[in-house]
Amino acid sequence: MSTPNTPRPGGGTGGTRPAPPRQAPTGAQRPAGAPRPGSAPRPSGAKPQTGAPRPGSGNPQLVRPAPKAKVRKARLLVSKVDPWSVLKMAFLLSVALGIVTVVASVVFWTVLDLTGIFKAVNDLLGEIVGSESGFDLMKIASLGQVASFATIIAVVNVVLLTALSMLAAVLYNLSSTLVGGIGVTLTDD
């Protein structure tokens, strides 16, 4: 028999209570890069597995893949258009179109003059009609006359396009009360 303070041959003390089992160190106590108890060491350069849990580990999946986003669709109806906003937008766009018309006509006249088209047309008409007629295309279609004609056309277009677009907005509002408007499907890509 042994006394309570005398050591036993198995490594325990002589008491009736067995020594508590040694616990494995937790993640905070384990040095960085050290393998977990019960797992095989990873080869250097290998990436940790983030997919399914390891068999026998009992750990739940740590990293979940992001769910695949669904494309949302919304079907809307344009049931009413504000005539005042249509008037402002149409006026702005028609003024821009008028400026483009004037600049394009001046550039077109300059290109025709630099390439010698006016002189070729004058020579052709002089041969057909005769040189004594005194016809000169540059007197009829000078740069000032072309620019002023293009400006008049641009101003008329501004007035007509603005009025017609506002009339179209009013007619759309009237017809949308009958049929419900134009359907539009919106998605977020």
Side-chain angles (χ1 to χ4, degrees), residues 122-156:
N122 280 338
D123 293 343
L124 179 66
L125 288 176
E127 287 179 10
I128 293 174
V129 177
S131 59
E132 58 272 348
S133 68
F135 179 78
D136 188 15
L137 187 59
M138 292 296 284
K139 288 181 183 175
I140 297 172
S142 67
L143 180 61
Q145 290 173 336
V146 168
S148 62
F149 184 70
T151 305
I152 291 170
I153 294 295
V155 168
V156 170

Side-chain angles (χ1 to χ4, degrees), residues 2 6 8 29 34 46 58 60 65-66 68 80 86 97 124 145-146 149:
S2 63
T6 57
R8 286 191 179 174
Q29 298 168 341
K68 196 170 189 178
K80 185 174 187 265
V86 170
L97 183 64
L124 179 66
Q145 290 173 336
V146 168
F149 184 70

Side-chain angles (χ1 to χ4, degrees), residues 37-120:
S39 67
R42 241 185 2 230
S44 62
K47 294 182 180 178
Q49 295 177 351
T50 57
R54 281 181 241 133
S57 66
N59 292 337
Q61 189 176 7
L62 298 177
V63 178
R64 293 185 183 140
K68 196 170 189 178
K70 290 184 177 179
V71 176
R72 295 184 300 171
K73 291 183 180 182
R75 181 157 164 64
L76 303 173
L77 289 176
V78 181
S79 61
K80 185 174 187 265
V81 178
D82 185 25
W84 178 247
S85 65
V86 170
L87 177 77
K88 291 188 292 186
M89 185 62 79
F91 178 75
L92 182 69
L93 292 177
S94 60
V95 165
L97 183 64
I99 292 170
V100 167
T101 302
V102 172
V103 171
S105 64
V106 169
V107 168
F108 185 66
W109 187 92
T110 305
V111 168
L112 289 179
D113 187 36
L114 290 176
T115 56
I117 300 293
F118 290 131
K119 185 177 182 303

Side-chain angles (χ1 to χ4, degrees), residues 7-18:
R8 286 191 179 174
T13 58
T16 59
R17 212 179 315 162

